């Protein structure tokens, strides 16, 4: 799979204005550009050898296959939580599968296929810290999350308004801050947190608090109004569940002990 060089969002937007043909259409089956996360173990991860792993990667690859694209024709591009809408709006990616929670605010800018996964917001803390057992405990703590995520908004607006919030570009940076004692907890979906806690070298260092602070329905984002692609992706997602590939991907990426919710029903017109 091809890997593009990382660049600033501004540069991405500038290039897109002169490169509207960055992916092949359904007729020629050229390269298909897909936005994923590069730093979420178990969900979307670019490994040191340049390969990609994670549940979102498996879902995106399955969908691409149903659209007629072989793995070697897929170009995975890194997206951050703060620039997913921009990359879709300017045509830099055909669709985004990046722990992308469906909500009304985002639906104003993009269209969603799915949902294809139900996660719950949780907290990750250091394994030897017994002081955080509920969201309210964060009111006297330092919390890390990612710029543009719904998790940070949920904590500040509803759960622990007095928490000191540090917003960074990626969850990997939050994990370093947590490990170094710069923050007391990091928050996002339990699927992402479980992936970090289980990552080689992290075992025994961190623990999930075990909360369900929200329901996060992951959807695949497409350009606003692209109902044709939205419908094709929904058909692919239904097939993935029906033929057992969805269950296999969950077990492969999150492990036998991860308590995932059943595949959610596809919501027409998400």
């Amino acid at each position: 799979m091809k890997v593009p060089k990382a660049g600033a969002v501004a540069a991405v937007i500038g290039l897109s204005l002169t490169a509207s043909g960055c992916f092949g259409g359904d007729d020629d089956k050229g390269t298909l550009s897909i936005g994923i996360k590069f730093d979420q173990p178990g969900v979307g991860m670019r490994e040191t050898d340049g390969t990609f792993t994670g549940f979102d990667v498996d879902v995106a690859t399955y969908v691409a296959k149903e659209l007629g694209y072989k793995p070697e024709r897929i170009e995975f591009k890194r997206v951050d939580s703060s620039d997913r809408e921009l990359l879709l709006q300017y045509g830099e990616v055909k669709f985004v599968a990046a722990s992308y929670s469906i909500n009304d605010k985002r639906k104003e800018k993009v269209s969603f296929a799915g949902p294809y996964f139900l996660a719950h917001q949780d907290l990750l803390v250091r394994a030897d810290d017994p002081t955080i057992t509920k969201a309210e405990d964060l009111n006297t703590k330092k919390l890390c999350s990612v710029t543009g995520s719904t998790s940070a908004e949920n904590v500040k607006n509803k759960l622990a308004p007095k928490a000191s919030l540090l917003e960074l570009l990626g969850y990997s940076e939050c994990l370093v801050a947590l490990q170094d004692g710069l923050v007391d907890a990091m928050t996002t979906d339990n699927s992402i947190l479980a992936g970090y806690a289980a990552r080689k070298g992290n075992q025994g260092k961190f623990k999930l608090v075990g909360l369900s602070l929200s329901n996060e329905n992951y959807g695949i984002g497409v350009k606003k109004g692209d109902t044709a692609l939205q419908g094709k992706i929904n058909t692919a997602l239904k097939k993935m569940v029906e033929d057992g590939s969805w269950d296999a991907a969950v077990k492969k990426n999150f492990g036998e002990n991860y308590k995932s919710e059943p595949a959610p029903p596809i919501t027409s017109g998400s």
Side-chain angles (χ1 to χ4, degrees):
M1 296 176 183
K2 300 179 181 179
V3 183
K5 294 182 179 179
V9 172
V12 166
I13 294 172
L15 286 172
S16 71
L17 297 177
T18 58
S20 60
C22 63
F23 43 76
D26 288 349
D27 54 344
D28 59 20
K29 301 305 176 194
T31 300
L32 177 68
S33 295
I34 303 173
I36 63 168
K37 292 294 183 71
F38 275 27
D39 65 341
Q40 293 180 352
V43 180
M45 188 75 185
R46 183 185 179 188
E47 304 293 348
T48 55
D49 62 0
T51 60
F52 297 90
T53 62
F55 182 74
D56 281 349
V57 174
D58 290 343
V59 170
T61 302
Y62 188 99
V63 169
K65 179 196 70 174
E66 293 301 305
L67 293 177
Y69 294 87
K70 296 180 179 180
E72 60 267 23
R73 303 306 301 168
I74 298 173
E75 181 184 26
F76 284 127
K77 290 189 174 184
R78 174 174 177 164
V79 298
D80 297 311
S81 295
S82 58
D83 64 12
R84 289 176 291 205
E85 289 84 10
L86 285 174
L87 292 174
L88 285 169
Q89 289 170 358
Y90 287 96
E92 280 299 306
V93 294
K94 191 69 170 177
F95 63 82
V96 170
S99 54
Y100 204 0
S101 298
I102 300 171
N103 63 38
D104 290 339
K105 183 177 179 181
R106 288 172 176 165
K107 285 196 288 185
E108 294 176 358
K109 298 180 179 180
V110 302
S111 295
F112 283 100
Y116 64 92
F117 191 80
L118 175 58
H120 302 287
Q121 185 182 351
D122 200 354
L123 303 173
L124 189 72
V125 300
R126 289 180 291 275
D128 59 356
D129 184 356
T131 64
I132 300 176
T133 59
K134 57 186 183 298
E136 290 76 12
D137 293 332
L138 295 172
N139 279 311
T140 59
K141 302 289 187 179
K142 296 178 180 179
L143 175 68
C144 189
S145 193
V146 168
T147 303
S149 74
T150 57
S151 299
E153 294 178 9
N154 190 37
V155 170
K156 288 295 291 183
N157 295 337
K158 301 177 182 178
L159 303 172
K162 295 181 181 179
S164 176
L165 180 63
L166 174 65
E167 293 185 88
L168 298 176
L169 183 62
Y171 293 109
S172 295
E173 290 87 341
C174 276
L175 191 74
V176 172
L178 178 61
Q179 179 174 293
D180 292 347
L182 300 177
V183 296
D184 302 297
M186 62 181 282
T187 187
T188 185
D189 305 342
N190 54 3
S191 56
I192 300 170
L193 297 177
Y196 276 112
R199 187 79 170 166
K200 185 177 180 181
N202 290 342
Q203 296 96 331
K205 293 182 179 180
F206 308 100
K207 64 181 180 182
L208 274 74
V209 176
L211 305 177
S212 293
L213 302 177
S214 68
N215 295 324
E216 304 296 336
N217 283 291
Y218 291 177
I220 292 181
V222 302
K223 192 170 184 177
K224 181 69 175 178
D226 193 344
T227 56
L229 180 59
Q230 180 188 44
K232 291 178 181 179
I233 294 175
N234 278 337
T235 298
L237 293 174
K238 291 176 183 177
K239 183 177 178 181
M240 187 177 186
V241 173
E242 291 168 356
D243 68 15
S245 298
W246 188 91
D247 281 324
V250 169
K251 292 177 181 178
K252 168 189 170 185
N253 291 292
F254 300 125
E256 297 287 344
N257 295 325
Y258 179 76
K259 297 179 180 179
S260 67
E261 300 280 1
I266 302 295
T267 304
S268 177
S270 292

